[in-house]
């Protein structure tokens, strides 16, 4: 804990408010350790039960995490508005930042021409009673999903993939329920699960997706929802294969006690076939975002599923956000219909594949085995994340430590390839090899 921040309070509410204030202002940084319960209780002159209640309340809200023998710490990205500097340290001057996980802006379709066309043909404003999913967009979305083998009957829209997953979990689960998530998995999703007060159960995976034995173990442990990334899994690049999909469908067949959520966030950028699990369980949903292929600022995802599940999400949306902007819907539809945009997205997918496979090959040349079957990220197992990240930083490369994405998985680094050029691959691989296997330190001569 920062030596400059003093926790205060004589009740559990006051203590938790003091901790939250420290997180919000940045005085308690992500990962900061909090005092042991008994030590803080003695310092504040309260009972250990009072401090324990404060810590428990903050854990349930996703601000704190229990780190075993390392005690209680602030989560890496707690769900409170904090100063950006507290969440992300400034990169060293001149460093190449490969930690962001974002698409290459040079390969995103330009929105200006389509926005201009929409402005010229805007028509009358849409009122509250007429808002909703545009029929023409729903028709186009269903056609695109069916082409990939996804049953696309009931359909709604959400403000991106994570928004859709949050609405699905909120509609089916309650705080304390267990959710099976990939381990390693999407950092934002792990933070969301914590913020909702849900209990994550890590499911190990390989390049072909979640391991069947891991899913079975999570079900036996009481998981009420299972979240699977279809392709371009973040952070490992895994993609569910045909054989893995068949085995998982057999395991899940007909279950009524489990919500199955599939996230196909890469969509058109994934150059591997889609093998959906949709429909294996009674309650299911398939979510496909438009952000990675067409632009992160396009906050929209298509969500299809069984009638009850989609109705719950649609109903909750109506009493909350209302609907996804029809202006945004028309813009996405225009992008889908533009052959030039389709060609650009295909070129982007091929470019990411070349960069990703080129980095994997370059690392293999140094004896390093990494993962990246699809998508824009490469996952490199390492012995020690902190020392390797530090060595890379000193060499001018910023990468994401695997701790942001792991529950019980071994240490690793996530490297985003979207900003790399072909000429960067060899020097980056050499720097990674040097950071992971530094030369022995020379001692003083005797």
């Amino acid at each position: 804990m920062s030596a400059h921040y003093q926790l205060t309070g004589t009740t559990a509410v006051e203590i938790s408010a003091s901790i939250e204030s420290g997180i919000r202002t940045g005085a308690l940084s992500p990962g900061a350790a909090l005092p042991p319960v008994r030590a803080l209780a003695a310092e504040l002159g309260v009972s250990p039960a009072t401090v324990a209640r404060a810590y428990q309340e903050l854990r349930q809200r996703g601000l704190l995490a229990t780190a075993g023998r390392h005690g209680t710490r602030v989560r890496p990205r707690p769900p409170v508005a904090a100063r950006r500097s507290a969440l992300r340290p400034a990169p060293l001057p001149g460093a190449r930042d490969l930690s962001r996980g974002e698409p290459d802006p040079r390969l995103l379709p330009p929105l200006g021409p389509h926005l201009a066309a929409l402005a010229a043909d805007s028509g009358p404003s849409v009122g509250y009673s007429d808002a909703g999913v545009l029929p023409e967009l729903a028709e186009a979305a269903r056609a695109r999903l069916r082409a990939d083998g996804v049953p696309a009957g009931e359909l709604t829209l959400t403000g991106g993939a994570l928004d859709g997953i949050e609405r699905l979990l909120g509609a089916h689960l309650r705080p304390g329920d267990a959710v099976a998530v990939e381990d390693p998995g999407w950092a934002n999703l792990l933070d969301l699960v914590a913020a909702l007060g849900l209990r994550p159960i890590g499911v190990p995976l390989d390049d072909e997706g979640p391991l069947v034995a891991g899913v079975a173990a999570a079900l036996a442990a009481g998981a009420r929802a299972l979240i699977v990334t279809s392709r371009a899994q973040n952070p490992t690049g895994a993609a569910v294969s045909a054989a893995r999909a068949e085995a998982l469908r057999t395991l899940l067949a007909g279950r009524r006690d489990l919500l199955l959520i599939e996230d196909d966030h890469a969509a058109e950028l994934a150059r591997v076939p889609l093998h959906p699990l949709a429909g294996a369980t009674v309650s299911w949903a398939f979510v496909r975002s438009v952000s990675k292929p067409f632009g992160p600022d396009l906050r929209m995802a298509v969500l299809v599923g069984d009638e009850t599940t989609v109705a719950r999400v649609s109903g909750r949306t109506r009493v909350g956000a209302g609907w996804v902007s029809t202006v945004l819907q028309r813009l996405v539809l225009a992008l889908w219909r533009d052959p030039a945009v389709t060609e650009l997205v295909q070129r982007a997918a091929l470019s990411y594949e070349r960069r990703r496979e080129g980095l994997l090959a370059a690392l293999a040349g140094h004896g390093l085995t990494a993962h990246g079957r699809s998508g824009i990220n490469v996952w490199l197992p390492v012995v020690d994340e902190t020392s390797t990240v530090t060595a890379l930083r000193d060499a001018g490369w910023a990468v994401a430590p695997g701790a942001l994405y792991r529950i019980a998985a071994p240490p690793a680094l996530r490297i985003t390839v979207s900003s790399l050029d072909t000429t960067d691959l060899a020097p980056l691989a050499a720097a990674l090899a040097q950071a992971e296997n530094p030369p022995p330190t020379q001692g003083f001569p005797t």
Side-chain angles (χ1 to χ4, degrees), residues 147-193:
D148 281 330
V150 180
E154 301 300 319
L155 180 149
T156 190
L157 301 176
T158 62
L162 200 64
D163 178 55
I165 294 172
E166 178 177 5
R167 294 177 187 277
L168 287 162
L169 294 175
H172 284 79
L173 277 64
R174 295 294 178 267
D177 286 344
V179 181
V181 294
E182 296 156 337
D183 181 21
W186 186 17
N188 285 353
L189 176 61
L190 299 180
D191 291 339
L192 173 64
V193 168

Side-chain angles (χ1 to χ4, degrees), residues 9-367:
T10 57
T11 67
V13 171
E14 291 173 350
I15 296 169
S16 63
S18 173
I19 296 171
E20 181 172 350
S21 176
I23 296 172
R24 188 174 60 251
T25 60
L28 291 175
S29 59
L34 294 181
V37 169
R38 292 187 178 278
L40 183 57
E43 180 181 336
L44 298 179
V46 300
S47 72
T50 299
V51 176
R53 283 198 300 272
Y55 282 9
Q56 180 182 23
E57 192 267 339
L58 292 171
R59 283 197 300 270
Q60 290 175 340
R61 291 175 48 212
L63 276 71
L64 302 182
T66 300
R69 65 176 182 271
H70 298 294
T72 300
R73 293 179 177 271
V74 179
R75 285 186 60 83
R77 290 187 293 182
V80 293
R83 295 173 183 169
R84 185 173 297 272
S85 60
L87 297 176
R88 183 182 184 85
L92 294 177
R96 295 290 303 277
D97 193 349
L98 310 180
S99 67
R100 294 180 176 273
E102 297 182 0
D104 187 344
R106 299 169 296 182
L107 296 176
L108 293 174
L111 303 182
H114 294 287
L115 288 170
L118 289 177
D121 185 30
S122 60
S125 298
V126 174
Y128 294 105
S129 60
D130 299 322
V133 181
L134 296 177
E136 56 270 35
L137 182 127
E139 180 181 359
R142 287 191 176 99
R144 297 168 82 89
L145 290 170
R146 287 174 181 146
D148 281 330
V150 180
E154 301 300 319
L155 180 149
T156 190
L157 301 176
T158 62
L162 200 64
D163 178 55
I165 294 172
E166 178 177 5
R167 294 177 187 277
L168 287 162
L169 294 175
H172 284 79
L173 277 64
R174 295 294 178 267
D177 286 344
V179 181
V181 294
E182 296 156 337
D183 181 21
W186 186 17
N188 285 353
L189 176 61
L190 299 180
D191 291 339
L192 173 64
V193 168
L196 293 175
L198 302 172
R199 179 167 56 90
I201 300 177
V203 175
L205 69 160
D206 59 16
D207 291 335
E208 297 184 49
L211 299 180
V212 177
V215 174
L219 298 179
R224 293 200 56 213
L226 167 65
I227 305 174
V228 176
T229 309
S230 304
R231 304 176 287 188
Q233 197 265 356
N234 186 358
T236 70
V240 177
S241 66
R244 186 63 50 80
E246 182 179 0
L248 288 172
R249 291 182 70 90
T250 299
L251 174 67
L252 302 174
R255 291 193 70 114
R256 294 182 172 273
D257 59 344
L258 182 76
L259 170 64
L260 171 63
I261 303 174
E262 287 183 272
D263 175 16
D264 188 36
H265 69 99
E268 294 85 355
L269 284 182
R271 283 178 53 83
V272 293
L274 178 69
H275 300 290
L277 307 176
T281 56
V282 173
S283 299
W284 64 275
F286 184 96
V287 184
R288 176 175 285 179
S289 170
V290 303
S291 296
K292 281 291 193 301
F294 301 102
D297 201 29
L298 299 175
R299 308 308 301 159
M300 194 185 90
V302 176
L303 187 153
V304 294
D306 68 275
E307 182 179 357
T308 299
T309 295
V310 175
R312 288 182 180 182
V313 173
S314 299
R316 182 63 183 85
T317 300
R318 280 196 297 271
V319 299
W323 69 93
V324 172
S325 165
T326 54
V327 175
L328 176 57
Q329 293 184 51
R330 293 175 63 203
L331 174 58
V332 170
L333 185 59
L335 293 169
W336 283 352
R337 289 173 170 173
D338 187 343
V341 170
T342 300
E343 182 182 354
L344 177 59
V345 171
Q346 291 173 347
R347 290 204 310 269
L350 180 60
S351 176
Y352 294 142
E353 181 178 63
R354 287 172 175 166
R355 297 183 227 183
R356 190 184 65 251
E357 292 185 349
L359 180 57
L360 292 173
L363 289 170
H366 289 278

